[in-house]
Amino acid sequence: MAEAKEQPRIGVFICHCGTNIAGSLSIEEVKEYAMTLPGVVAAEEYQYMCSTPGQSLIADAIAEHKLNGVVVAACSPRLHEPTFRTATQEGGLNKFRFEMANIRDQNSWVHMHDWEGATSKAKDQVRIAVAKARLLEDLEPKSVPVEHAALVLGAGVGGMQAALDLASAGIKTYLVDKDPTVGGRMSQLDKTFPTLDCSQCILTPKMVDVGRHPNIELRTFTEVENVEGYIGNFTITLRKKARGVLSPAEAEERGIVGGGCNGCGDCSEVCPVIKPNPFELGMAPRKAIYIYHPQVNPLLYTIDFDSCVKCGLCVTACGEEKKAIDLDMVDTFEQVKVGTCILAIGYDLIPIEEKTEWGYKRYDNVITGLEFERLICASGPTGGKLIRPSDGQIPKKIGFVLCAGSRDNTGGVAKPYCSRFCCMYSLKHAHQIMEKIPGAVPYIFYMDIRSFGKMYEEFYYRIQNEGAKFIRGRVANILEDPSSKNLTVFTEDTLLGRPLSLEMDMVVLAAAIQPKPEAERIRQMFGVSKSQDGWLLEAHPKLNPCGTTTAGIYLAGVCQGPKDIPDTVAQAEGAASAASIPIHTGEVQLEPYFAQCVDELCAGCGMCVNLCPYGALALVEKNGRTVMEVTEAKCKGCGTCGGFCPGGAIKMQHFTSPQICAQIDAFLLEGGEQ
Amino acid sequence: MATDKNYGNPELENKLRDRYYYTTDSNPEFLEDVKTLSRTIAHMCFQCGTCTGSCPSAPRSSYRIRLFMRRGVLGLEQEALNDPDLWLCTTCYSCTDRCPRDIAPTDVIMAMRNLAFKYDIVPRNFLKTVQLIYNTGHGVPNNDVNRAARVKLGLTADPPTTHGYPEFIPGIQKIMDHYEMKDNADRILAEGGQ
Amino acid sequence: MAGNMRQYAFFLGCIAPNRYPGCESAAIKTSAKVGLELLPLKGAGCCPAPGAFGSIDLHVWYALAARNIVLAEQMNMDITLICNGCYKSIWEVNHILKHNDELRDGVNEVLKEVDMEFKGSIDVWHLAELYYDPKICGVEKIASTVTRPLTGTKIAVHYGCHLMKPGKERHFGDTENPMWIEELVEALGAEAVQYRNKMQCCGAGGGVRGYDITHALDITNEKLINLQEVGADALTEVCPFCQLQYDRGQVEIEEKFGQKYGLPVLHYNELLGLAQGMSPDELALDLHGVDCKPFLEKIL
């Protein structure tokens, strides 16, 4: 840089964070040490630097000491970098004249019982931060316009709610689902706790609304193929899977006026291929041309080309007027441009048969909670009559096994977490059998009943009052009588201190839940991390539960972690609100951490162009020379190009080589000669 | 600390004895010893009852493995070690296979038995096995009927073990003596044991 | 010595050689027919009994089991054995000492006194798993050695505990409803029958047989009731201690509880011996507590 080098005047601000930091290391010693560092002209400490007085302390010190660099030694930049940048700006400095030393998460919390060691490490951290602060430059964030549209992936109750909120806020919203209909898991449920509303009854209005809303572009039987871009400007490629059936609109496009599928079902009637219906968990048949259930939206039949024999009977049945069926249909692709995205991709049950002690899939009358929902549901495969799969008899004694694979640290398919809704739906199941089957007795085998939500504990009280038997013991194993197909459940009544051997007509496993298998591919496309337990990772578990670490991507529902319907809907509305902010603002500020090409040093070799994972670099002609140019909005500042460039021609703003080398020197030379 | 009832009547004092659990009833080292010997995370038990529900001994006795796990967690050493049910575990490991906390309750029982032995609490049959192994190398030694049968089968009258090669027995004895195991077994048996 | 025979050090344990010598004899002869040569592990002792002995002092259990393992290390041969109790001691101690430096150093401290050192250079196998392993033998090879198929018999399997459990440390897969020994039984031409609570313990382990015989027998009796219900002609197992509990146990159950089952109990090696044409005399079946005749009549 040609301009005259200003003398560094750094202020160091050390936060106690109550006792979080001050309880594990000597703030006073770190402060005294900071004052000895070259360039440091002020050092302060305060109980909570993030508080209003703490921030004022920083702003005031900038003016008083004519600071040109600020170092705050406190918590993580993820938490308070924005706070202290604002304070720096309020003091009259460019907000990028700020550097943070994380002496809490990366020091006091991990070295809680090593006062000397933690103090010494904090000094290192402050010295390193000061070394960088001496070389900080003024930077300006870049503003980019935001596409006035959003995409919601997954059209379960969470995805539909998020889409409706976005659409009602005036944002064009693409609602995408891989299934042929919207509705998701909730449409498979019979009743919902604790209100006992019929799940379909409260869900279908939403299913209809997402079909009707002028701002919602519904894309069912569609998957995300590719994601490009960044907040404000995502380009998303959708794969519209070949449905084999034309909607009226699609028919019209092909010149079949007044044609297309009207949902009459004549095709399905004549179809000779019979397959298990996945919506009914395989407990009812469907044809190769099918709808999941009568309330599907859109009401369009779909061909399962994996089982279709292309006999053409459906084509004939559909007739010359509608001409809705196209047996040669292929997948098509569509690109949409959106500003923000919400992932609401739901969950699966674990393959509970791998917990072999409970005999699922080995014993006929052991079923999962989700299968119970279909069997008790009036629109289900038995018309709502709960029967034993083995003999069609009505069960009287039904065992409910809670924590079937949840709160289980044994690995394999088991999950260490609580699946959070099994206690409540099992209580509901108990109520339903007592209501529907005279003389039926539910036995609920539990470790703890977790009835934490609004009116949940009251629901527990109600079900106990209705006559459900609660046995505090986790089920050890189940044996089947091979002739009667009755089941003996073994556990200990831990409150009685006696082993139990109880013969049941049917056992319902409240199987743990897990992320969908496709979640892995989806999160990689959208650049979302996962947490230790496999669910998609929120930006902050408490303060940013809907956001992710990729700007512009938000989460809703169980894909972020187990939650019930109220929590899913609440998070969906939160995600919709968060996703609408950049769109309504109209522009987003990007961190100015772009790569910059120093044209004089660039040899135009172009190797960086191929290395860039974001397609942000290109070779251009400038003043008769070929040099690299950065599209700043695409650059994520990852540093791949800068680290590679053989000529040292690429400067990474805010992470320049001199800045990083100064930090390394400061660490290795322990503050000695540099 | 439990309150002493100085009623001058042992029967009454026992009937009305203080049943409160006091932290002073615990020996925290007991849990640590159990964890070291059992090589399992005994402190992580959350009392779900899967172990007792899996136990073949529970339905025919007062033995509750879950109770021993609880005593371990709370450090109730004497209560655990003096309970004769401690010796009713058949070590079938069903509880270990099914424990959702991935604890090995069976190995906790084995550890507690080891600790009981340090207090001379041990059933006589266990000590007799010790003596047999010390003297013959075998816990179930050969006998004359069997020797005859072996010969009829074309086998050596004594198997090619310490029976056939008794010169190996002193090695076994040396190892057991290192731990003073035989002396302790002899002493406890002589004192009448359990 | 045939050139392509796989050689193993044969760890006998106590109950097989000293109570059911037919198991020992059958193991040597039946394995020879599938290409396995079992060589005597001279000077081996008790494994020592994991329950009766391990209950007293696990460290002595480690050391004495290690002594047995070292004898095989000195032969430079893997161990094979035919008893689940022995498997627990020998396989598990071998496994623990290979993976736990502290315990291994402690054991070697003691073994030094008898001029031995545990090196961790060999593996330990139950003969039944070698029979099942297609790389070593396999079900088909077993079937090919059968000259007297056990056709028309219904045989139930008792897996025992210490071979497969705890499942996580072992390598046998599912411990709730395994079927691999049934496959070995069906290879002999018999029908393998299922019965209630197959995986429950015989009742003898952990020193309980010695500590409280009626308690142990009551567990055995529960299993015998379940076995009687499915009309098994015989029970087979891969553990002479389980065999003792079921076989001599039936005599004791008759004495103490007044209940009689008459269910022949045969080690899988005895069963295999019969299927390969060995005579009841060659298997010393007369030493069994329960008369095997009703079963033998069906196959001879």
Side-chain angles (χ1 to χ4, degrees):
Chain A
M1 296 285 125
E3 61 196 86
K5 237 183 158 183
E6 55 182 347
Q7 283 302 309
R9 296 184 62 79
I10 313 292
V12 176
F13 302 87
I14 305 157
C15 180
H16 294 217
C17 196
T19 55
N20 271 304
I21 296 170
S24 304
L25 54 84
S26 167
I27 302 278
E28 199 49 44
E29 259 186 68
V30 177
K31 181 180 151 186
E32 279 168 24
Y33 174 77
M35 279 307 289
T36 69
L37 294 169
V40 174
V41 295
E44 307 271 5
E45 36 97 10
Y46 191 70
Q47 203 143 25
Y48 290 102
M49 205 57 86
C50 58
S51 65
T52 307
Q55 292 187 60
S56 305
L57 194 74
I58 297 172
D60 295 348
I62 292 172
E64 190 189 332
H65 299 284
K66 300 190 171 49
L67 302 181
N68 56 16
V70 170
V71 168
V72 176
C75 54
S76 153
R78 264 183 69 187
L79 197 61
H80 275 313
E81 189 177 65
T83 313
F84 296 124
R85 277 184 175 173
T86 306
T88 305
Q89 202 163 26
E90 278 174 1
L93 281 179
N94 178 284
K95 68 177 181 181
F96 294 96
R97 293 281 185 153
F98 160 75
E99 181 66 17
M100 203 157 178
N102 184 349
I103 60 168
R104 189 187 71 174
D105 308 29
Q106 292 175 352
N107 188 342
S108 65
W109 278 356
V110 268
H111 309 297
M112 215 170 267
H113 307 293
D114 179 9
W115 182 270
E116 297 298 320
T119 305
S120 150
K121 181 171 170 179
K123 289 178 186 172
D124 288 347
Q125 290 177 292
V126 167
R127 184 175 71 246
I128 292 165
V130 167
K132 181 171 178 185
R134 282 200 294 267
L135 301 172
L136 287 173
E137 296 164 329
D138 287 357
L139 296 172
E140 291 309 322
K142 185 170 176 69
S143 284
V144 292
V146 174
E147 198 71 45
H148 202 81
L151 178 136
V152 177
L153 185 58
V157 65
M160 291 196 294
Q161 185 65 50
L164 286 168
D165 282 12
L166 286 164
S168 300
I171 296 164
K172 180 176 180 176
T173 304
Y174 297 91
L175 178 58
V176 180
D177 201 291
K178 67 172 182 16
D179 283 340
T181 175
V182 300
R185 284 276 173 236
M186 189 177 162
S187 63
Q188 289 179 293
L189 310 181
D190 180 41
K191 286 184 176 176
T192 58
F193 58 80
T195 48
L196 299 173
D197 308 287
C198 150
S199 183
Q200 281 279 21
C201 308
I202 58 174
L203 189 68
T204 33
K206 286 194 195 296
M207 291 170 65
V208 172
D209 286 352
V210 296
R212 270 203 206 123
H213 202 294
N215 282 337
I216 292 182
E217 295 275 343
L218 200 53
R219 297 286 186 273
T220 53
F221 212 51
T222 299
E223 289 174 8
V224 170
E225 187 73 10
N226 189 35
V227 180
E228 273 180 20
Y230 47 92
I231 179 169
N233 296 275
F234 291 105
T235 303
I236 296 177
T237 310
L238 301 176
R239 173 193 286 268
K240 197 172 169 215
K241 295 183 282 185
R243 188 172 213 142
V245 175
L246 300 168
S247 68
E250 289 163 338
E252 204 166 311
E253 275 171 31
R254 292 197 186 183
I256 312 163
V257 182
C261 180
N262 65 0
C264 70
D266 291 349
C267 53
S268 189
E269 211 129 286
V270 297
C271 177
V273 180
I274 294 173
K275 286 276 159 185
N277 185 352
F279 181 80
E280 302 292 0
L281 308 164
M283 295 184 294
R286 70 152 157 80
K287 299 295 186 66
I289 185 162
Y290 65 94
I291 51 170
Y292 272 176
H293 56 88
Q295 287 113 315
V296 295
N297 184 25
L299 178 53
L300 291 176
Y301 275 74
T302 303
I303 297 176
D304 168 18
F305 280 112
D306 289 336
S307 58
C308 172
V309 295
K310 300 207 175 183
C311 65
L313 285 173
C314 56
V315 178
T316 317
C318 187
E320 280 303 305
E321 271 180 29
K322 285 182 290 200
K323 268 195 173 163
I325 296 171
D326 174 3
L327 292 177
D328 299 316
M329 196 182 267
V330 292
D331 293 2
T332 55
F333 296 91
E334 176 189 15
Q335 280 199 338
V336 298
K337 290 183 93 58
V338 296
T340 54
C341 303
I342 295 174
L343 305 182
I345 56 177
Y347 67 95
D348 274 342
L349 299 189
I350 62 166
I352 191 68
E353 63 273 22
E354 289 183 38
K355 294 289 289 182
T356 48
E357 58 267 46
W358 300 314
Y360 180 65
K361 287 196 176 168
R362 190 148 57 87
Y363 304 151
D364 291 345
N365 295 325
V366 175
I367 65 171
T368 65
L370 201 54
E371 286 168 339
F372 182 94
E373 292 289 343
R374 295 315 301 153
L375 288 176
I376 201 82
C377 181
S379 66
T382 57
K385 203 172 149 193
L386 183 71
I387 52 169
R388 303 198 330 155
S390 68
D391 53 12
Q393 296 296 305
I394 294 168
K396 285 286 170 70
K397 285 165 79 179
I398 305 180
F400 294 91
V401 178
L402 302 197
C403 297
S406 300
R407 304 176 67 196
D408 182 328
N409 298 74
T410 54
V413 299
K415 301 297 174 189
Y417 48 77
C418 167
S419 291
R420 283 184 100 243
F421 47 63
C422 334
C423 282
M424 292 308 296
Y425 77 58
S426 297
L427 290 174
K428 182 203 65 175
H429 290 170
H431 164 83
Q432 286 177 294
I433 62 163
M434 289 186 289
E435 180 184 64
K436 281 204 172 187
I437 305 171
V441 186
Y443 287 83
I444 297 174
F445 300 95
Y446 72 101
M447 294 199 278
D448 302 285
I449 294 290
R450 296 189 165 173
S451 49
F452 50 82
K454 187 171 179 176
M455 295 304 285
Y456 288 10
E457 187 64 22
E458 293 85 337
F459 190 67
Y460 176 19
Y461 184 97
R462 170 181 171 179
I463 305 312
Q464 186 170 7
N465 192 37
E466 284 174 354
K469 304 287 178 213
F470 288 85
I471 292 167
R472 203 258 167 211
R474 184 178 172 278
V475 171
N477 66 318
I478 298 172
L479 294 178
E480 183 195 57
D481 181 320
S483 53
S484 70
K485 299 285 181 187
N486 287 349
L487 303 157
T488 310
V489 174
F490 293 91
T491 184
E492 179 188 6
D493 185 322
T494 56
L495 305 178
L496 210 54
R498 268 171 77 175
L500 296 191
S501 150
L502 296 185
E503 192 171 336
M504 297 284 146
D505 300 327
M506 180 182 248
V507 169
V508 183
L509 303 178
I513 58 170
Q514 65 181 15
K516 291 240 178 205
E518 62 268 25
E520 191 59 24
R521 191 181 74 92
I522 291 170
R523 75 167 188 87
Q524 282 173 7
M525 278 193 296
F526 284 91
V528 175
S529 304
K530 64 178 173 184
S531 44
Q532 200 181 4
D533 54 15
W535 300 103
L536 300 183
L537 183 66
E538 65 288 336
H540 189 283
K542 296 170 192 71
L543 304 176
N544 194 353
C546 301
T548 68
T549 46
T550 297
I553 310 294
Y554 307 87
L555 305 174
V558 181
C559 65
Q560 178 261 335
K563 51 182 69 69
D564 55 18
I565 295 169
D567 285 1
T568 290
V569 172
Q571 194 188 20
E573 301 212 89
S577 166
S580 69
I581 292 169
I583 293 173
H584 285 314
T585 310
E587 58 170 35
V588 285
Q589 287 205 332
L590 302 181
E591 297 271 50
Y593 303 160
F594 318 118
Q596 296 281 292
C597 182
V598 184
D599 292 350
E600 308 90 77
L601 296 176
C602 179
C605 71
M607 297 182 85
C608 55
V609 175
N610 295 325
L611 284 174
C612 177
Y614 306 103
L617 313 181
L619 289 180
V620 295
E621 291 296 316
K622 262 190 199 169
N623 306 324
R625 292 180 61 224
T626 302
V627 293
M628 184 274 276
E629 191 176 69
V630 182
T631 304
E632 291 183 344
K634 282 189 179 176
C635 174
K636 297 220 192 278
C638 71
T640 307
C641 58
F644 175 80
C645 179
I650 300 175
K651 176 186 172 190
M652 303 306 305
Q653 294 198 136
H654 208 60
F655 295 95
T656 65
S657 296
Q659 287 169 355
I660 291 173
C661 290
Q663 287 181 288
I664 295 170
D665 286 347
F667 175 57
L668 294 178
L669 301 172
E670 292 180 5
E673 279 307 302
Q674 294 185 18
Chain B
M1 189 81 87
T3 321
D4 286 328
K5 308 264 168 91
N6 299 312
Y7 297 160
N9 177 341
E11 198 183 319
L12 211 52
E13 282 169 7
N14 183 48
K15 173 176 179 274
L16 302 172
R17 73 182 183 280
D18 187 349
R19 259 82 166 185
Y20 277 120
Y21 162 71
Y22 297 91
T23 51
T24 46
D25 296 341
S26 290
N27 173 9
E29 275 168 36
F30 180 55
L31 176 60
E32 290 315 307
D33 290 347
V34 165
K35 282 167 66 179
T36 308
L37 271 171
S38 65
R39 303 182 306 118
T40 191
I41 47 173
H43 63 296
M44 289 308 297
C45 175
F46 63 4
Q47 294 285 299
C48 68
T50 302
C51 49
T52 305
S54 301
C55 180
S57 283
R60 44 186 49 81
S61 71
S62 54
Y63 170 54
R64 301 289 174 265
I65 182 156
R66 180 184 52 80
L67 192 57
F68 281 94
M69 296 302 292
R70 189 74 193 136
R71 288 161 170 166
V73 168
L74 289 178
L76 295 173
E77 181 183 34
Q78 291 310 317
E79 203 175 310
L81 303 188
N82 285 297
D83 184 344
D85 287 349
L86 178 62
W87 306 90
L88 283 178
C89 169
T90 67
T91 68
C92 77
Y93 282 92
S94 292
C95 55
T96 300
D97 264 11
R98 294 177 184 148
C99 171
R101 276 283 168 98
D102 214 10
I103 308 169
T106 318
D107 290 333
V108 169
I109 292 296
M110 293 297 285
M112 287 183 180
R113 288 179 178 183
N114 275 223
L115 293 168
F117 179 57
K118 293 191 175 157
Y119 287 98
D120 292 357
I121 305 167
V122 56
R124 299 176 73 84
N125 67 297
F126 290 84
L127 301 172
K128 286 184 175 152
T129 305
V130 169
Q131 289 179 329
L132 285 171
I133 293 178
Y134 189 88
N135 293 326
T136 71
H138 281 288
V140 182
N142 207 353
N143 59 37
D144 286 339
V145 175
N146 193 65
R147 280 189 195 94
R150 290 184 60 88
V151 171
K152 248 169 75 183
L153 291 175
L155 297 166
T156 50
D158 276 311
T161 59
T162 48
H163 279 333
Y165 300 90
E167 62 269 30
F168 282 88
I169 294 175
I172 291 174
Q173 293 175 340
K174 226 174 190 176
I175 291 169
M176 291 173 75
D177 286 341
H178 176 93
Y179 297 95
E180 294 169 17
M181 198 187 207
K182 168 73 165 20
D183 289 349
N184 281 326
D186 287 348
R187 179 178 52 74
I188 299 167
L189 279 173
E191 286 167 6
Q194 261 191 26
Chain C
M1 246 185 256
N4 53 359
M5 295 278 273
R6 280 174 184 267
Q7 296 186 323
Y8 292 89
F10 186 23
F11 180 81
L12 289 173
C14 299
I15 309 210
N18 299 335
R19 292 293 179 274
Y20 294 107
C23 291
E24 175 184 342
S25 175
I28 295 167
K29 289 184 181 168
T30 58
S31 60
K33 295 206 171 161
V34 293
L36 309 178
E37 184 177 7
L38 309 191
L39 298 164
L41 187 57
K42 288 176 192 165
C46 184
C47 56
F53 199 87
S55 291
I56 310 283
D57 191 328
L58 287 163
H59 290 287
V60 197
W61 180 64
Y62 296 140
L64 285 184
R67 189 197 74 94
N68 287 322
I69 296 165
V70 171
L71 292 174
E73 287 185 351
Q74 289 167 351
M75 292 167 75
N76 203 14
M77 243 174 239
D78 279 4
I79 288 176
T80 192
L81 42 77
I82 56 171
C83 168
N84 290 358
C86 297
Y87 188 82
K88 177 166 173 73
S89 297
I90 304 294
W91 183 90
E92 194 163 299
V93 171
N94 193 41
H95 182 79
I96 292 171
L97 297 186
K98 276 185 183 185
H99 295 94
N100 186 323
D101 292 345
E102 201 186 324
L103 287 178
R104 174 185 170 145
D105 292 347
V107 162
N108 275 335
E109 246 341 82
V110 184
L111 288 184
K112 212 188 282 170
E113 292 175 24
V114 291
D115 298 322
M116 282 180 148
E117 188 194 355
F118 174 89
K119 293 198 170 74
S121 57
I122 62 149
D123 289 320
V124 179
W125 310 94
H126 195 294
L127 187 56
E129 69 175 313
L130 296 179
Y131 282 163
Y132 187 71
D133 185 347
K135 293 191 295 290
I136 308 284
C137 169
V139 173
E140 280 164 30
K141 197 163 186 180
I142 292 285
S144 73
T145 64
V146 171
T147 56
R148 183 200 286 146
L150 310 181
T151 318
T153 60
K154 286 163 79 173
I155 297 175
V157 178
H158 172 80
Y159 279 78
C161 301
H162 293 149
L163 177 58
M164 295 175 61
K165 292 188 278 189
K168 213 168 194 181
E169 286 176 16
R170 306 286 204 261
H171 46 272
F172 291 89
D174 178 33
T175 58
E176 295 287 345
N177 189 37
M179 293 297 285
W180 61 278
I181 299 185
E182 276 87 344
E183 286 182 51
L184 284 170
V185 166
E186 302 218 314
L188 311 184
E191 181 199 345
V193 289
Q194 296 300 308
Y195 61 102
R196 189 176 177 82
N197 220 355
K198 175 171 88 177
M199 292 311 288
Q200 186 176 292
C201 176
C202 70
V208 176
R209 186 179 157 79
Y211 175 60
D212 186 343
I213 182 74
T214 54
H215 182 98
L217 290 172
D218 192 47
I219 297 175
T220 319
N221 195 44
E222 184 186 330
K223 291 212 70 172
L224 287 166
I225 291 168
N226 292 338
L227 285 158
Q228 193 178 41
E229 220 154 74
V230 298
D233 296 314
L235 177 69
T236 190
E237 28 60 36
V238 291
C239 174
F241 193 42
C242 296
Q243 175 161 325
L244 185 85
Q245 181 66 8
Y246 280 109
D247 180 49
R248 303 281 158 94
Q250 284 185 60
V251 178
E252 292 157 347
I253 283 170
E254 196 180 346
E255 275 170 27
K256 294 181 199 294
F257 305 156
Q259 289 174 5
K260 190 172 163 70
Y261 297 93
L263 177 70
V265 183
L266 293 115
H267 193 282
Y268 181 74
N269 283 109
E270 295 178 321
L271 212 55
L272 178 58
L274 286 170
Q276 287 180 349
M278 288 173 76
S279 72
D281 285 347
E282 284 177 285
L283 295 163
L285 293 187
D286 54 326
L287 288 182
H288 283 226
V290 177
D291 192 354
C292 294
K293 259 189 216 117
F295 175 71
L296 295 172
E297 278 165 7
K298 291 201 163 192
I299 58 164
L300 292 179

